[in-house]
Amino acid sequence: MKNQFVLKEDRKTGEAVYYRTYYRVFARPKEVLPYETQGKFKLKWLGNDIAALTYRASDNSIHQYIGTYGARDSGISYTYVGPTIQGQWKGNDVRIDSTPKGISIDYNGKSGQYSWDDVVQFGTIAIVLMNDGEAEWTIGLNENFQSHSNDPKPPSGEITLYRASMDYVKPVRLSFVE
């Protein structure tokens, strides 16, 4: 019961509010989801402290809201996920390249490019990659991730890639290559 993802929806208006727990089972409103919802949601925990909520807006576009409940490295300063994962990451039929220009993803032979303007950060451990106003991917820093931001060593540990879809999607774990 350490991390709970709580969402309340007004079915008449389509407004959904994300609540953050602050003492065991008590919660208070944190943020209104930015798009009017259709009422169907899919929640996937990408780790013990990252929850990806996927939903369709009233205009049928797909969106993700990420609940984050932790930090990586020391957790004493705010970090940006994109620059933290600079380099190349590989997993099963997946490659991510994070460069100063943005992030590219090659997934099962299909590729996508995302500038930094297409990246929405959630907390200090997850980002959502957008294309034409819709969510396409979530990238989360796994619990074993270490950025080594204050020394010359490359990042270590793993990241998780999760496709934005209302269908069943299996998250993919990736490791740093170069």
Side-chain angles (χ1 to χ4, degrees):
M1 290 191 46
K2 184 177 179 185
N3 299 322
Q4 299 176 16
F5 190 97
V6 179
L7 185 75
K8 290 186 179 182
E9 179 195 29
D10 182 332
R11 292 182 185 189
K12 291 179 184 173
T13 66
E15 180 181 85
V17 179
Y18 169 63
Y19 281 72
R20 187 68 178 230
T21 56
Y22 69 95
Y23 183 73
R24 297 187 184 246
V25 296
F26 298 106
R28 57 180 121 186
K30 181 175 187 322
E31 189 171 359
V32 175
L33 271 58
Y35 303 96
E36 184 179 316
T37 65
Q38 289 185 3
K40 292 185 180 180
F41 303 93
K42 183 180 82 168
L43 183 68
K44 177 70 175 174
W45 285 89
L46 304 180
N48 290 329
D49 56 3
I50 302 174
L53 177 77
T54 307
Y55 66 98
R56 287 205 178 273
S58 59
D59 66 357
N60 214 32
S61 59
I62 195 154
H63 299 279
Q64 285 188 318
Y65 185 91
I66 312 301
T68 60
Y69 307 91
R72 302 296 178 259
D73 293 335
S74 64
I76 58 173
S77 65
Y78 194 86
T79 56
Y80 292 93
V81 174
T84 301
I85 63 169
Q86 291 283 311
Q88 188 176 95
W89 298 79
K90 286 191 178 179
N92 293 338
D93 296 323
V94 180
R95 188 179 95 205
I96 295 176
D97 290 297
S98 180
T99 70
K101 293 182 180 181
I103 296 175
S104 65
I105 296 179
D106 290 317
Y107 182 82
N108 289 334
K110 296 179 184 177
S111 62
Q113 299 282 105
Y114 306 89
S115 73
W116 292 115
D117 292 336
D118 300 323
V119 176
V120 179
Q121 177 138 340
F122 290 87
T124 61
I125 57 176
I127 56 177
V128 172
L129 306 179
M130 306 287 289
N131 184 12
D132 291 329
E134 287 192 74
E136 287 195 346
W137 300 98
T138 291
I139 297 175
L141 306 179
N142 291 10
E143 292 178 56
N144 65 358
F145 179 86
Q146 292 289 313
S147 71
H148 303 291
S149 58
N150 294 324
D151 60 46
K153 291 192 295 189
S156 60
E158 297 174 315
I159 62 175
T160 294
L161 180 69
Y162 182 65
R163 187 168 52 91
S165 173
M166 293 303 288
D167 298 329
Y168 172 78
V169 178
K170 187 175 180 181
V172 179
R173 296 172 73 99
L174 298 99
S175 299
F176 186 77
V177 178
E178 60 181 72

